[in-house]
Amino acid sequence: MAKIGVFVGTVYGNALAVAEEAQQTLQQQGHEVEIFEDATLEQWQAYVQQVVLVVTSTTGQGDLPDNIQPLYAKLNDNLGYQPDLHYGVIALGDSSYDNFCGGGHTFDELLQEQGAKRIGDVLLIDAIEVVEPEVFAQNWIEEWGALL
């Protein structure tokens, strides 16, 4: 089974609720899972030959939340090529904004540029249509965990 780091970008707690649901589901599948809310580059690097799940909401005009922005900047500026990393992305957003799920798309684009291998599709969760994002994400999480 996989060792998975769940890196969370959240403002109001919805992304964290999804991450906690993911942790529970993935652990039930036999995976070893740890959640990081204010992650450091060193914590990320512990997973570069493992699996990462990025669960992030979107703020402003498609921006990453403040708690995950420093990690993104360090990955962009300091890490570079990550060909051994396998990852997934769950993006939360509001489709009434132009940059729907921009935070998740931004992270996905960076990891693609760095040669990481995405497992499955990015899950987009629309706050306008989904009241309980952690419930909505359940099936995707189960399927994603089965792909590992």
Side-chain angles (χ1 to χ4, degrees), residues 8-141:
V8 182
T10 192
V11 177
Y12 300 112
N14 287 333
L16 180 59
V18 172
E20 289 170 345
E21 181 67 33
Q23 181 181 39
Q24 183 178 15
T25 299
L26 294 168
Q27 285 175 337
Q28 288 171 353
Q29 291 179 333
H31 301 292
E32 180 184 330
V33 185
E34 188 170 356
I35 294 176
F36 301 94
E37 274 188 82
D38 294 301
T40 64
L41 183 60
E42 293 74 28
Q43 289 169 324
W44 181 277
Q45 288 176 308
Y47 290 88
V48 294
Q49 294 186 335
Q50 305 293 332
V51 180
V52 163
L53 177 60
V54 176
V55 182
T56 186
S57 58
T58 303
T59 65
Q61 298 300 312
D63 302 322
L64 288 163
D66 289 345
N67 74 309
I68 201 167
Q69 181 62 41
L71 174 64
Y72 175 87
K74 287 184 179 181
L75 291 173
N76 190 39
D77 296 343
N78 302 330
L79 206 48
Y81 197 50
Q82 300 185 72
D84 296 326
L85 177 68
H86 291 80
Y87 75 97
V89 176
I90 298 176
L92 290 81
D94 182 326
S95 62
S96 68
Y97 287 87
D98 290 338
N99 295 311
F100 174 56
C101 288
H105 287 302
T106 297
F107 230 105
D108 180 49
E109 289 167 10
L110 174 65
L111 296 177
Q112 288 287 304
E113 288 171 11
Q114 294 181 337
K117 296 168 187 71
R118 187 176 70 220
I119 299 168
D121 294 325
V122 175
L123 175 63
L124 305 177
I125 302 177
D126 187 353
I128 289 185
E129 296 179 5
V130 177
V131 177
E132 296 178 300
E134 66 278 10
V135 174
F136 180 83
Q138 181 67 40
N139 287 339
W140 184 95
I141 294 164

